[in-house]
Amino acid sequence: MQAFSIKTKNISIMADYNFREIEQKWQSYWKEKGTFKAEVDPNRPKFYSLDMFPYPSGAGLHVGHPLGYIASDIVSRFKALKGFNVLHPMGYDSFGLPAEQYAIQTGQHPAITTEQNITRYTEQLKNIGFAFDWDREVRTSDPAYYKWTQWIFMQLFKSYYDLDANKALSIDSLIERFETLGNKSVKAVSDEDTPVFTAEEWKAFSEKEKQEILLKYRLTFLAETTVNWCAALGTVLSNDEVKDGFSERGGHPVERKKMMQWSMRITAYADRLLQGLERVDWAEPIKEMQRNWIGKSIGADVVFQVKDSDKKIKVFTTRVDTIYGVTYLALAPESDLAASLITEDQRATAEAYIEVAKNRSERERMSDVKTISGAFTGSYAINPFNGEEIQIWVADYVLAGYGTGAVMAVPAHDERDYNFAKHFGLEIRQVIEGSMENGSFPGKGGFIINSGFISNMYMKEAMAKAIAFLEEKGIGKGKIQYRMRDAIFTRQRYWGEPLPVYFKDGLPYLVEEKDLPLVLPEVDKYLPTEDGEPPLGRAKDWTYKTAEGEFPLEMSTMPGWAGSSWYFFRYMDPNNDTAFADKIKTDYWGAVDLYIGGSEHATGHLLYSRFWTKFLHDIGAVHIDEPFQKMINQGMIQGRSNFVYRVKGTNQFVSHGLKDQYDSFAMHVDVNIVHNDQLNLDKFKAWRPDLADAEFILEDGKYICGSEVEKMSKSKYNVVNPDDIIERYGADTLRLYEMFLGPLEQFKPWNTNGIDGVYKFLRKLWNLYHNSAGDFQVSNAPATKEELKALHKAIKKMEEDMANHSFNTSVSSFMICVNELTALKCNKREILEPMAILVSPYAPHIAEELWSLLGHSESITKATFPEFDEKHLVESAFEYPVMINGKMRAKLNLSLSLTVQEIEKAALADEAVQKWLEGKAPKKVIIVPGKIVNLVV
RNA sequence: GCCGGGAUGGUGGAAUAGGUAGACACGCAAGACUUAAAAUCUUGUGGGGGAAACCCCGUACGGGUUCGAUUCCCGUUCCUGGUACCA
């Protein structure tokens, strides 16, 4: 009877670490109990942990994607154990080009592919055991979501940027001011060509004229703009979607083209976007990238009169202090003014030059910086400071898109101007004290010479005087110029949010809010129409009906960044039908406390989100002004390819170490059939039919593969799928291993060479709670000093690592702790309970299982993080390294209560030390108690 | 070109306030268990010399500061990310 019962027990409870069973069990438990449901709770501090919005691609997740999610999951779970109310959501940026390209090829509606991809992504994410509140999932392509993307667009349309208030204000308030005062006194961000008018003139304008003027102020507006046109994709692209003259997605050529486009007046926020960077805790390089992208320059506009003409040329310069050194003006080839200034005697050469320069592609111009080219127009301008006549040139080093498209050239103090002047034999006139031996020099802050009334001054003073002169004469003013351009907001594509806009008399009007969402219509094909309209031109009845009649709706859709610029607010209140999110909720959750994602979004998403947040702040919709308080940029996981070496002309494969003895060539082999660089021969034969009868030349009985770090891609057979790792080792091992691989921010190749160690760790952890028969067994006996010390070392380390986001070192410290406890044969509840909590953020499934075996009925996620107590780590003795001249020569175990004199005495008495001292007394003795002894002889 | 980040054993990496370089893990080697293999466990493992004690060298390279430098400073090389005629 006795024997029988034991046997039954062994069979029923005997438990090796069975990750499959455990992980499924707890994932279902979390789902059923709604463990990670987050609700507003004013009595608890909040923590908002966010991952960058994924685009659900058809390829599914590979092992690199979850890296950041695992890190944020660990932080989220840790914060919850620390008593925080954690918001940790996940959702999908589900509008995008790949689904549409696929739709064009197959005719399948992008919504269907997108849905399939999301299902796959969600399944993969759930297998990893993330503490996401899945009830908050959002999708940008869901009408209930994009209703509010459209709503935000409408608010932008109804707003302008007021420079006195330094915020966005309603366009209605602007109209009121126009009606009473005209626009002369209005300081607002508007188009360059905005006319000045009085109240009377305003009132006399027609409805059409009024709307045209208002468009020059609206924060989102329709205007003729030079855009990046990608013919292959049939759409315009934003600057951050273009890399080296080619589209980021697909690598198609991109050209500059003038088109009527919707834009967002992000430039109005340039300065606040710059200022705000001071207040966020981001990695410095990302901030620097944004600063460069915004590109603030402080300088002045200067107007040059064209000689014998009423034409004027406005230039922007950051160095008015060098204005007496100007020896020519240069205009961009695209400039209409340049063409009009060409005189008869220069016509042939200048026009030919403009023709060539204009038609050179952006890419050509960029890659060919060294070649200096230009042409004299034949016209002269007058330098307003000294009345000198200077030549006006056309030069392709001047960009039409920056400043005024014209520069005042100071060859002595600007390298490009210098090279140009040298090349064409133009005058070089020095106006700052210094040596011209090595060509031009910027001489910033230098002493000004040969410069009329600003001579004998330093830069700062000279600039102030020169600007005062310009303003007094009405021929210029101090100005701040930004490199950043307004963001194009339309794409001539199907799979995006429709703009809630219709056209009347050729002018845009908003649809009424009650008609939102303006749902994406069905079309027969996802291609442009025959007459070049965007795909929405194919939709039937794509019109808007008002009391006045039926009007055509806008046919372009919003760009990919629209939906992702505000999704972090929607997570706070994902199902709200009356607002994009309830104010009480946005007030409570506030800014994202930790944002983890790649640095590739530095100048796109991260800038646009900040812009929209500031706008929503201005209109009183949210109280925060910066969306992401702290950000960590995880490094990309690269692929690590494996190779086999085929002997030429045979079906023989030679192992890596022997390949040089044969005439062989390398061939990619699927990394999933290679373990620790050793090829699984059976799986290799089964991999492809032509390899079934492959033969091998082995070294030490093994086939060793070569390896190389490359991008993770299907064609290189180096894609590792998280599901495969989970199938083999479990989600907890995957989570631990991704963290163990190295610092989160670092770029690193994925290889599974070390994964066994992490898996072994989990088994050792499991064994602490089980006896050798595999039965759960913990003791209630009090813990020993050593056991407590091992535990508290780990607690301390984890606390520190969490503060520094050093996840890899925490995994090591868990291993050390488990190794120590195993050596101590510890199975005390007093140790093992806190131990389970400690590892639970990293390995939540096994931790839940152990926690429940320990007799707890509630999830371990509701436990409290163990309190660190320094007293367990206090040592009474220390093994001093004793150094002679900085080299470690002896070790000395001494009590920490010894005084410096006593330590010195003990050190000098040591045998090994005596040998090195050779009987002499040390010249100098350095003793740092608890650290080191160093003797100088 | 300009602005960042980096370089540590065979490999991933550690050293968080200048104080024992190489924690932890992989791999490798030897041993135990096994008919055998796998798994597991034990021991060793930066390089060179030595039977050993121990000695010399060693954190990309060259200098410097310091009693003491992977850590701070100056210079060089290589890798890597961003950006590109921005007036």
Side-chain angles (χ1 to χ4, degrees), chain A residues 537-583:
Chain A
R538 295 174 176 276
K540 284 197 189 97
D541 306 322
W542 189 235
T543 56
Y544 189 66
K545 293 164 195 72
T546 71
E548 295 173 70
E550 201 173 318
F551 299 100
L553 281 160
E554 168 66 56
M555 283 185 276
S556 292
T557 52
M558 297 188 196
W561 57 267
S564 60
S565 292
W566 71 281
Y567 75 109
F568 40 92
F569 289 123
R570 190 61 178 174
Y571 279 140
M572 298 172 185
D573 196 8
N575 300 312
N576 196 326
D577 194 34
T578 55
F580 71 93
D582 189 290
K583 189 84 191 324

Coordinates of all heavy atoms in Angstrom, one line a residue, chain A residues 537-583:
Chain A
G537 N -10.2 57.8 -56.8 CA -10.9 58.3 -57.9 C -11.8 57.2 -58.6 O -12.7 57.5 -59.3
R538 N -11.5 56.0 -58.2 CA -12.3 54.9 -58.8 C -13.6 54.6 -58.0 O -14.4 53.8 -58.4 CB -11.5 53.6 -58.7 CG -10.2 53.6 -59.6 CD -9.4 52.4 -59.4 NE -8.3 52.4 -60.4 CZ -8.4 51.9 -61.6 NH1 -9.5 51.4 -62.1 NH2 -7.3 52.0 -62.4
A539 N -13.6 55.2 -56.8 CA -14.8 54.8 -55.9 C -16.0 55.5 -56.5 O -16.0 56.6 -57.0 CB -14.5 55.4 -54.5
K540 N -17.1 54.8 -56.3 CA -18.4 55.3 -56.8 C -18.9 56.3 -55.7 O -18.7 56.1 -54.5 CB -19.4 54.2 -56.9 CG -19.2 53.3 -58.1 CD -20.5 52.5 -58.4 CE -20.2 51.5 -59.5 NZ -19.9 50.1 -59.0
D541 N -19.5 57.3 -56.2 CA -20.1 58.3 -55.2 C -19.1 58.8 -54.2 O -19.5 58.9 -53.0 CB -21.3 57.8 -54.5 CG -22.3 57.2 -55.5 OD1 -22.5 57.8 -56.6 OD2 -22.9 56.2 -55.2
W542 N -17.9 59.1 -54.6 CA -17.0 59.6 -53.6 C -17.2 61.1 -53.5 O -16.4 62.0 -54.0 CB -15.5 59.3 -54.0 CG -14.5 59.6 -52.9 CD1 -13.4 60.4 -53.1 CD2 -14.5 59.2 -51.6 NE1 -12.7 60.5 -51.9 CE2 -13.4 59.7 -50.9 CE3 -15.4 58.4 -50.8 CZ2 -13.1 59.5 -49.6 CZ3 -15.1 58.1 -49.5 CH2 -14.0 58.7 -48.9
T543 N -18.4 61.5 -53.0 CA -18.8 62.9 -52.9 C -19.4 63.2 -51.5 O -19.7 62.2 -50.8 CB -19.9 63.2 -53.9 OG1 -20.9 62.2 -53.7 CG2 -19.3 63.0 -55.4
Y544 N -19.5 64.4 -51.3 CA -20.1 64.8 -50.0 C -21.3 65.7 -50.2 O -21.3 66.6 -51.0 CB -19.1 65.6 -49.2 CG -19.5 65.9 -47.8 CD1 -19.6 64.9 -46.8 CD2 -19.7 67.2 -47.4 CE1 -20.0 65.1 -45.5 CE2 -20.1 67.5 -46.0 CZ -20.2 66.4 -45.1 OH -20.6 66.7 -43.8
K545 N -22.4 65.3 -49.6 CA -23.7 66.0 -49.8 C -24.0 66.9 -48.7 O -24.0 66.6 -47.5 CB -24.8 64.9 -49.9 CG -24.7 64.1 -51.1 CD -25.6 62.8 -51.1 CE -25.1 61.8 -52.1 NZ -23.9 61.1 -51.8
T546 N -24.2 68.2 -49.1 CA -24.6 69.2 -48.1 C -25.9 69.8 -48.6 O -26.3 69.5 -49.7 CB -23.5 70.3 -48.0 OG1 -23.6 71.1 -49.2 CG2 -22.1 69.8 -47.8
A547 N -26.4 70.8 -47.8 CA -27.6 71.5 -48.3 C -27.4 72.2 -49.6 O -28.3 72.3 -50.4 CB -28.1 72.5 -47.2
E548 N -26.2 72.6 -49.8 CA -25.9 73.3 -51.1 C -25.7 72.4 -52.3 O -25.7 72.9 -53.4 CB -24.6 74.1 -50.9 CG -24.7 75.2 -49.9 CD -23.3 75.9 -49.6 OE1 -22.9 76.6 -50.6 OE2 -22.7 75.6 -48.6
G549 N -25.6 71.2 -52.0 CA -25.4 70.3 -53.2 C -24.4 69.2 -52.9 O -24.1 68.9 -51.7
E550 N -23.9 68.5 -53.9 CA -23.0 67.4 -53.8 C -21.6 67.8 -54.3 O -21.5 68.4 -55.4 CB -23.6 66.3 -54.7 CG -23.1 64.9 -54.3 CD -23.8 63.8 -55.1 OE1 -25.0 63.9 -55.3 OE2 -23.1 62.9 -55.5
F551 N -20.6 67.6 -53.5 CA -19.3 68.0 -53.8 C -18.3 66.9 -53.8 O -18.4 65.9 -53.0 CB -18.8 69.1 -52.8 CG -19.7 70.3 -52.8 CD1 -20.7 70.5 -51.8 CD2 -19.6 71.3 -53.8 CE1 -21.5 71.6 -51.8 CE2 -20.4 72.4 -53.8 CZ -21.4 72.5 -52.8
P552 N -17.2 67.0 -54.6 CA -16.3 65.9 -54.7 C -15.4 65.9 -53.4 O -15.1 66.9 -52.8 CB -15.4 66.3 -55.9 CG -15.6 67.7 -56.1 CD -17.0 68.0 -55.6
L553 N -15.1 64.7 -52.9 CA -14.2 64.5 -51.7 C -12.8 64.4 -52.2 O -12.5 64.1 -53.3 CB -14.6 63.2 -51.0 CG -15.9 63.4 -50.1 CD1 -16.4 62.0 -49.8 CD2 -15.6 64.1 -48.8
E554 N -11.9 64.7 -51.3 CA -10.5 64.6 -51.5 C -10.1 63.2 -51.8 O -10.7 62.2 -51.2 CB -9.7 65.0 -50.2 CG -8.3 64.7 -50.2 CD -7.4 65.5 -51.2 OE1 -7.4 66.7 -51.2 OE2 -6.7 64.8 -52.0
M555 N -9.3 63.0 -52.8 CA -9.0 61.6 -53.3 C -7.7 61.0 -52.7 O -7.4 59.9 -52.9 CB -9.0 61.6 -54.8 CG -10.4 61.6 -55.3 SD -10.5 61.4 -57.1 CE -10.2 63.0 -57.7
S556 N -6.9 61.9 -52.2 CA -5.6 61.4 -51.5 C -6.0 60.9 -50.1 O -7.0 61.2 -49.6 CB -4.6 62.5 -51.5 OG -4.1 62.8 -52.7
T557 N -5.1 60.1 -49.6 CA -5.2 59.6 -48.2 C -4.1 60.1 -47.4 O -3.1 60.7 -47.9 CB -5.3 58.1 -48.2 OG1 -4.2 57.6 -48.9 CG2 -6.6 57.6 -48.8
M558 N -4.2 59.8 -46.1 CA -3.2 60.3 -45.2 C -1.9 59.4 -45.2 O -2.0 58.3 -45.6 CB -3.7 60.4 -43.7 CG -4.9 61.3 -43.5 SD -5.3 61.4 -41.8 CE -6.9 62.2 -41.9
P559 N -0.8 60.0 -44.8 CA 0.4 59.2 -44.8 C 0.5 58.3 -43.7 O -0.3 58.4 -42.7 CB 1.5 60.3 -44.7 CG 0.9 61.3 -43.9 CD -0.6 61.4 -44.3
G560 N 1.4 57.3 -43.7 CA 1.6 56.3 -42.7 C 1.7 56.9 -41.3 O 1.3 56.3 -40.3
W561 N 2.3 58.1 -41.2 CA 2.6 58.6 -39.9 C 1.4 59.3 -39.2 O 1.5 59.6 -38.0 CB 3.8 59.6 -39.9 CG 3.7 60.8 -40.8 CD1 4.2 60.8 -42.1 CD2 3.2 62.1 -40.5 NE1 4.0 62.1 -42.6 CE2 3.4 62.9 -41.6 CE3 2.6 62.6 -39.3 CZ2 3.0 64.2 -41.6 CZ3 2.2 63.9 -39.4 CH2 2.4 64.7 -40.5
A562 N 0.3 59.4 -39.9 CA -0.9 60.0 -39.3 C -1.4 59.3 -38.0 O -1.4 59.8 -36.9 CB -2.0 60.2 -40.3
G563 N -1.7 58.0 -38.3 CA -2.3 57.2 -37.2 C -1.3 57.0 -36.1 O -1.7 56.8 -34.9
S564 N 0.0 56.9 -36.4 CA 1.0 56.6 -35.3 C 1.4 57.8 -34.5 O 2.2 57.7 -33.6 CB 2.2 55.9 -35.9 OG 2.8 56.8 -36.8
S565 N 0.9 59.0 -34.9 CA 1.3 60.2 -34.2 C 0.5 60.5 -32.9 O 0.8 61.4 -32.2 CB 1.2 61.4 -35.1 OG 2.1 61.3 -36.2
W566 N -0.5 59.7 -32.7 CA -1.3 59.9 -31.5 C -1.8 58.7 -30.8 O -2.5 58.7 -29.8 CB -2.5 60.8 -31.8 CG -3.5 60.1 -32.6 CD1 -3.5 59.9 -34.0 CD2 -4.8 59.6 -32.2 NE1 -4.6 59.2 -34.4 CE2 -5.5 59.0 -33.3 CE3 -5.4 59.6 -30.9 CZ2 -6.7 58.4 -33.2 CZ3 -6.6 58.9 -30.8 CH2 -7.3 58.4 -31.9
Y567 N -1.3 57.5 -31.3 CA -1.9 56.2 -30.8 C -1.7 56.0 -29.3 O -2.5 55.4 -28.6 CB -1.3 55.1 -31.6 CG 0.1 54.7 -31.2 CD1 0.4 53.5 -30.5 CD2 1.2 55.5 -31.5 CE1 1.7 53.2 -30.2 CE2 2.5 55.2 -31.2 CZ 2.8 54.0 -30.5 OH 4.1 53.7 -30.2
F568 N -0.6 56.6 -28.7 CA -0.4 56.5 -27.3 C -1.4 57.1 -26.4 O -1.6 56.8 -25.3 CB 1.0 57.1 -27.0 CG 1.3 58.3 -27.7 CD1 1.0 59.6 -27.2 CD2 1.9 58.3 -29.0 CE1 1.3 60.7 -27.9 CE2 2.1 59.5 -29.7 CZ 1.8 60.7 -29.1
F569 N -2.2 58.0 -27.0 CA -3.4 58.6 -26.3 C -4.6 57.6 -26.4 O -5.3 57.5 -25.4 CB -3.8 59.9 -26.8 CG -2.8 61.0 -26.5 CD1 -2.2 61.8 -27.5 CD2 -2.4 61.3 -25.2 CE1 -1.3 62.8 -27.2 CE2 -1.5 62.3 -24.9 CZ -0.9 63.0 -25.9
R570 N -4.7 57.0 -27.5 CA -5.9 56.1 -27.7 C -5.8 54.9 -26.8 O -6.9 54.4 -26.4 CB -5.9 55.7 -29.2 CG -7.2 55.0 -29.6 CD -8.4 55.9 -29.4 NE -9.7 55.2 -29.8 CZ -10.9 55.7 -29.7 NH1 -11.0 56.9 -29.1 NH2 -12.0 55.1 -30.1
Y571 N -4.6 54.4 -26.5 CA -4.5 53.3 -25.6 C -5.1 53.6 -24.2 O -5.6 52.7 -23.5 CB -3.0 53.0 -25.4 CG -2.4 52.1 -26.5 CD1 -1.1 52.4 -26.9 CD2 -3.0 51.1 -27.0 CE1 -0.4 51.7 -27.9 CE2 -2.4 50.3 -28.0 CZ -1.1 50.6 -28.4 OH -0.5 49.8 -29.4
M572 N -5.1 54.9 -23.9 CA -5.7 55.2 -22.6 C -7.2 55.1 -22.5 O -7.7 54.9 -21.4 CB -5.3 56.7 -22.3 CG -3.8 57.0 -22.2 SD -3.5 58.7 -22.1 CE -1.7 58.8 -22.2
D573 N -7.8 55.1 -23.7 CA -9.3 55.0 -23.7 C -9.7 54.5 -25.1 O -10.3 55.2 -25.9 CB -9.8 56.5 -23.5 CG -11.3 56.5 -23.1 OD1 -11.8 55.4 -22.9 OD2 -11.8 57.5 -23.0
P574 N -9.4 53.2 -25.4 CA -9.4 52.8 -26.8 C -10.8 52.7 -27.4 O -11.0 52.7 -28.6 CB -8.8 51.4 -26.7 CG -9.0 51.0 -25.3 CD -8.9 52.2 -24.5
N575 N -11.9 52.6 -26.5 CA -13.2 52.4 -27.1 C -14.1 53.6 -27.1 O -15.3 53.5 -27.3 CB -13.9 51.2 -26.4 CG -13.0 50.0 -26.6 OD1 -12.6 49.6 -27.7 ND2 -12.8 49.3 -25.4
N576 N -13.5 54.8 -26.7 CA -14.3 56.0 -26.6 C -14.9 56.4 -27.9 O -14.1 56.5 -28.9 CB -13.4 57.1 -26.0 CG -14.2 58.2 -25.5 OD1 -15.3 58.5 -26.0 ND2 -13.7 58.9 -24.4
D577 N -16.2 56.7 -27.9 CA -16.8 57.0 -29.2 C -17.1 58.5 -29.2 O -17.5 59.0 -30.3 CB -18.1 56.2 -29.3 CG -18.6 56.3 -30.7 OD1 -17.8 56.3 -31.7 OD2 -19.9 56.3 -30.9
T578 N -16.9 59.2 -28.1 CA -17.3 60.6 -28.1 C -16.1 61.5 -28.1 O -16.2 62.7 -28.2 CB -18.2 60.9 -26.9 OG1 -17.5 60.5 -25.7 CG2 -19.5 60.2 -27.0
A579 N -14.9 61.0 -27.9 CA -13.7 61.7 -27.9 C -12.5 60.8 -28.2 O -12.6 59.6 -28.1 CB -13.4 62.4 -26.5
F580 N -11.4 61.4 -28.6 CA -10.2 60.5 -29.0 C -9.7 59.8 -27.7 O -9.2 58.7 -27.8 CB -9.1 61.3 -29.7 CG -8.4 62.2 -28.8 CD1 -7.2 61.8 -28.2 CD2 -8.8 63.5 -28.6 CE1 -6.5 62.7 -27.4 CE2 -8.1 64.4 -27.8 CZ -6.9 64.0 -27.2
A581 N -9.9 60.5 -26.6 CA -9.7 59.8 -25.3 C -10.3 60.8 -24.2 O -10.2 62.0 -24.4 CB -8.2 59.6 -25.0
D582 N -10.8 60.2 -23.1 CA -11.4 61.0 -22.1 C -10.3 61.8 -21.4 O -9.2 61.3 -21.1 CB -12.0 60.0 -21.1 CG -12.8 60.7 -20.1 OD1 -12.3 61.4 -19.2 OD2 -14.1 60.6 -20.1
K583 N -10.6 63.0 -21.0 CA -9.6 63.9 -20.4 C -9.1 63.4 -19.1 O -8.0 63.5 -18.7 CB -10.2 65.3 -20.3 CG -9.2 66.4 -19.8 CD -8.5 67.0 -21.0 CE -7.3 67.8 -20.7 NZ -7.3 68.7 -19.5

